[in-house]
């Protein structure tokens, strides 16, 4: 890490001493064109070959990243390095943070506009890859893979735990109200609100529909493009689940309640597992038809897994396909954080709202679990810790719940119980996104 910071410092020094070297340049195409014109006009009078060589070096320098870099570019590159460091050093969602961190660096390498390099330049390779984000193509494919990986047995065995997944969605609507209070318009606030569900693909899907910089409101106002800040905020807080949730658990749940042991869930038959995705697909999409792309692919993937006849398809969905889409999604979302677009007041507000929403969602799940225990007796009581798994950061929040329970009682295993509200949170966040989209889309 020290070597990386040293290299970063040297690059920064080279950029900031360029005026002293007589190498000042703006990054715009017009400036470069005028520089070329001046060079051509002066060539008539220049006879000194050394002077011509120096002018050539200056002309080349105008096209380099050193000439076109800004302090914003350097800040975002540093953030990208931090993301990669967190993913490698602390194992914080490395499958997400490392591609996103690399994408942040890629998106903030300074370049000359007009050469089809940047992710927002029509015709560039990155722009074509970004199409899957802007049009909401990647999130349903991610949900297909999630469905093919997920075992809904714990939820089928104890369906009342679905209420915890629903309770955690309070973060979505609290964030929506907060965004409205801070001055965002309705579609922008709706897209920002879904950060409270702690579900990156759902956040990208909804923001691509509502806050894509294209939609025009009735009064002629064009909504802002908030896909990058929303996606980065959602994935950042998903990665920080092991940091954010444990203090809230210890604050709201007494040590005595953290020691509650839940009875083992009943055995679920294979027939139930096969019927569940079909029934759940019909029920959830009837409630929220706008969430069909997400919920349809989620339960289709699970049907591939549980049918027993399509193992090859299920294996492709949960391995190769989801890996490819995760790479493309992470890199392009990271690259969309170009400093001139990303470093804004709105982005800072979104990050603040995201932190608050994640805290509210976790607290909502924990407190509702305690509320449920008021109506449950004996060994039917639930350990309130599993309420924190109601956010849809699968499976990290379930693992955090399990780890926290073991700290209070080394014989208390909550992982399978926590997976029920965890997968319910995935379904709940998709339904919430569909409801918001149906009203604001």
């Amino acid at each position: 890490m020290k070597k990386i910071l040293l290299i970063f410092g040297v690059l920064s020094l080279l950029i900031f001493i360029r005026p002293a070297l007589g190498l000042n340049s703006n990054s715009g195409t017009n400036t470069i064109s005028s520089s070329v014109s001046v060079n051509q006009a002066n060539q008539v009078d220049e006879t000194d070959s050394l002077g011509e060589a120096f002018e050539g070096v200056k002309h080349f320098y105008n096209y380099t990243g050193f000439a076109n870099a800004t302090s914003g570019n350097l800040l975002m590159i540093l953030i990208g390095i931090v993301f990669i460091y967190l993913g490698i050093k602390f194992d914080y969602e490395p499958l997400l943070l490392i591609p996103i961190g690399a994408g942040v660096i890629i998106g903030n390498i300074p370049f000359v506009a007009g050469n089809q390099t940047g992710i927002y330049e029509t015709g560039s390779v990155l722009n074509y890859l970004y199409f899957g984000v802007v049009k909401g193509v990647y999130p349903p494919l991610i949900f297909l893979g999630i469905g093919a990986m997920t075992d809904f047995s714990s939820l089928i065995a104890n369906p009342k735990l679905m209420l915890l997944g629903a309770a955690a969605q309070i973060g979505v609507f609290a964030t929506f109200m907060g965004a409205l209070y801070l001055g965002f318009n309705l579609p922008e606030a709706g897209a920002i609100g879904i950060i409270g569900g702690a579900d990156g693909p759902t956040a990208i899907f909804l923001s691509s529909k509502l806050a894509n910089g294209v939609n025009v409101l009735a009064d002629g106002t064009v909504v802002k493009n908030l896909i990058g800040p929303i996606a980065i905020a959602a994935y950042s807080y998903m990665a920080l689940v092991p940091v954010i949730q444990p203090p809230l658990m210890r604050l709201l749940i007494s040590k005595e309640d953290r020691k509650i042991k839940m009875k083992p869930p009943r055995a679920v038959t294979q027939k139930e597992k096969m019927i569940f995705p079909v029934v759940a697909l019909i029920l959830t999409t009837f409630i929220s038809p706008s969430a069909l792309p997400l919920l349809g692919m989620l339960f289709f993937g699970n049907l591939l897994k549980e049918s027993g006849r399509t193992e090859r398809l299920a294996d492709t969905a949960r391995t190769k396909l989801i890996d490819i889409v995760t790479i493309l999604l992470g890199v392009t979302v990271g690259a969309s954080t170009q400093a001139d677009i990303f470093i804004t007041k709105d982005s800072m507000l979104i990050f603040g709202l995201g932190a608050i929403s994640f805290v509210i969602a976790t607290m909502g799940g924990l407190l509702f679990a305690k509320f449920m225990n008021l109506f449950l007796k004996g060994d039917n009581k639930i350990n309130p810790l599993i309420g924190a798994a109601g956010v849809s950061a699968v499976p990290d929040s379930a693992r955090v719940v399990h780890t926290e329970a073991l700290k209070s009682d080394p014989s208390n295993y909550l992982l399978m119980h926590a997976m029920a509200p965890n997968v319910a949170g995935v379904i709940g966040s998709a339904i919430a996104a569909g409801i918001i989209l149906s009203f604001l889309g």
Side-chain angles (χ1 to χ4, degrees), residues 249-250 253 257-259 366 369 382-389 397 401 404-406 408 412 414 418:
M249 294 177 185
R250 292 189 288 269
I253 308 300
D257 283 345
R258 296 202 295 270
K259 291 181 178 180
L366 292 169
I382 61 177
N383 189 312
L385 288 178
I386 68 172
S397 56
V401 167
E404 201 62 28
L406 289 177
S408 299
N412 196 4
L414 286 183

Side-chain angles (χ1 to χ4, degrees), residues 270 274 303-311:
Q270 189 60 34
M274 287 189 290
L303 182 62
L304 293 178
K305 173 182 180 293
E306 303 296 355
S307 67
R309 303 293 183 182
T310 53
E311 184 57 31

